[in-house]
């Protein structure tokens, strides 16, 4: 992967898929800013990167807070002089899955704030910096739920469809500037969000695996491989695309 010495921010990198993405970038020689709403988790991941791979900084940021995202971008540029890659990975699911008529306003507001508005904040602020530089790369973590219907999950579905649309719109706007923007759409992947889904009913594990042609969940490392590839110099002619990693579920 051609990402050596690139300056990379990964949001929501304190655990799960974000953790795997941050470490995979570091393994390939990137300088990684590990961002998470939980600073202790970010510090732990960053320390592991420094011990095993190379350069890293932990920075606390709530992606639903514009000023904190602004500080995150500025901190990275101050520390390293530029920003090569932003991975908008931070995301949440609803506290309670329910049909649209019974969905809580709290779950709607919370999920949209992080998954949709948070991605917009990250893209807008990173693009301001990348436009000044004349180069840059953004990878947004969407979801299979951004490509097809997801029952009892209206806010998450709406937010992830939005991420796919925002990715395409921004990619078109900035294609001439040397900035590429793509999205990755994981299917059911081993993570805290999957654990939350599995806990909703005793037979959920069996139900999900029946609809996955490969009959297994994705691994965080497999998502990380795709993200680093899209952010690398090996994919210079790819922009505005959604790469789906779902074991064939969308088929």
């Amino acid at each position: 992967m051609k990402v050596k010495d690139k300056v990379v921010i990964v949001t929501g990198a304190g655990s799960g898929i974000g953790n795997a993405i941050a470490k995979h970038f570091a393994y390939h020689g990137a300088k990684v800013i590990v961002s998470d709403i939980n600073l202790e988790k970010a510090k732990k991941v960053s320390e592991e990167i420094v011990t095993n791979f190379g350069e890293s900084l932990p920075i606390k940021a709530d992606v639903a807070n514009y000023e904190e995202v602004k500080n995150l971008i500025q901190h990275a540029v101050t520390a390293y002089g530029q920003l090569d890659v932003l991975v908008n990975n931070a995301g949440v699911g609803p506290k309670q899955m329910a049909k649209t008529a019974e969905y809580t306003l709290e779950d709607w507001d919370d999920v949209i704030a992080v998954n949709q508005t948070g991605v917009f904040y990250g893209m807008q602020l990173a693009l301001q910096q990348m436009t000044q530089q004349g180069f840059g790369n953004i990878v947004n973590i969407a979801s299979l739920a951004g490509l097809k219907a997801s029952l009892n999950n209206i806010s998450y579905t709406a937010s992830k469809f939005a991420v796919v649309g925002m990715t395409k719109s921004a990619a078109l706007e900035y294609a001439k500037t040397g900035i590429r923007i793509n999205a990755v759409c994981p299917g059911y992947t081993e993570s805290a969000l999957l654990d939350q889904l599995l806990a909703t009913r005793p037979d959920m594990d069996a139900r999900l695996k029946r609809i996955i042609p490969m009959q297994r969940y994705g691994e965080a490392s497999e998502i990380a491989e795709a993200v680093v590839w899209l952010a690398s110099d090996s994919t210079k002619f790819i922009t505005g695309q959604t790469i789906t990693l779902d074991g064939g579920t969308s088929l």
Side-chain angles (χ1 to χ4, degrees):
M1 300 277 195
K2 299 178 181 179
V3 296
K4 184 174 175 56
D5 294 326
K6 289 186 183 294
V7 178
V8 180
I9 293 175
V10 183
T11 67
S15 61
I17 292 173
N19 181 326
I21 292 170
K23 290 177 179 175
H24 204 60
F25 270 110
Y27 173 78
H28 287 282
K31 301 169 185 176
V32 184
I33 292 88
V34 178
S35 176
D36 199 273
I37 194 170
N38 185 317
L39 182 57
E40 292 308 309
K41 288 184 177 181
K43 285 181 176 178
K44 183 178 179 181
V45 175
S46 186
E47 288 168 1
E48 290 175 5
I49 288 174
V50 171
T51 298
N52 297 298
F53 305 114
E55 293 188 57
S56 179
L57 291 174
I59 301 177
K60 178 185 181 299
D62 175 359
V63 299
N65 184 310
Y66 187 82
E67 291 303 317
E68 291 192 22
V69 179
K70 185 176 182 180
N71 176 67
L72 170 63
I73 303 294
Q74 290 176 340
H75 197 138
V77 175
T78 299
Y80 293 112
Q82 64 190 55
L83 175 61
D84 295 283
V85 180
L86 170 66
V87 180
N88 281 310
N89 168 76
V92 297
K95 293 176 182 174
Q96 181 179 353
M97 299 183 73
K99 290 183 178 179
T100 301
E102 288 81 41
Y103 214 79
T104 69
L105 295 181
E106 179 186 9
D107 271 339
W108 174 267
D109 291 341
D110 289 349
V111 172
I112 295 298
V114 174
N115 295 6
Q116 182 172 337
T117 304
V119 170
F120 166 70
Y121 289 166
M123 288 175 65
Q124 185 188 69
L125 291 163
L127 284 166
Q128 290 172 5
Q129 172 62 29
M130 291 173 177
T131 300
Q132 292 178 21
Q133 300 171 170
F135 60 87
N137 195 309
I138 297 174
V139 181
N140 296 322
I141 308 302
S143 171
L144 180 60
L147 301 174
K148 60 186 291 295
S150 181
L151 291 173
N152 304 323
N153 207 9
I154 189 71
S155 64
Y156 191 80
T157 303
S159 69
K160 294 303 185 178
F161 264 85
V163 170
V164 171
M166 290 190 294
T167 297
K168 292 180 178 295
S169 293
L172 183 59
E173 292 169 355
Y174 290 90
K176 295 180 181 179
T177 68
I179 300 169
R180 298 190 294 112
I181 306 167
N182 292 288
V184 168
C185 293
Y188 299 107
T189 304
E190 293 175 355
S191 64
L193 282 177
L194 178 63
D195 292 340
Q196 183 179 336
L197 179 59
L198 294 176
T200 60
R201 52 188 295 170
D203 64 340
M204 184 59 77
D205 179 68
R207 287 168 61 91
L208 291 182
K209 286 180 178 174
R210 279 200 299 270
I211 65 172
I212 304 172
M214 287 189 179
Q215 298 184 325
R216 69 170 178 87
Y217 302 126
E219 298 177 4
S221 61
E222 293 171 321
I223 311 305
E225 284 271 2
V227 171
V228 175
W229 177 71
L230 280 174
S232 76
D233 291 339
S234 300
T235 55
K236 289 182 177 180
F237 204 51
I238 297 177
T239 195
Q241 301 304 305
T242 55
I243 307 298
T244 306
L245 297 96
D246 65 354
T249 306
S250 55
L251 300 175

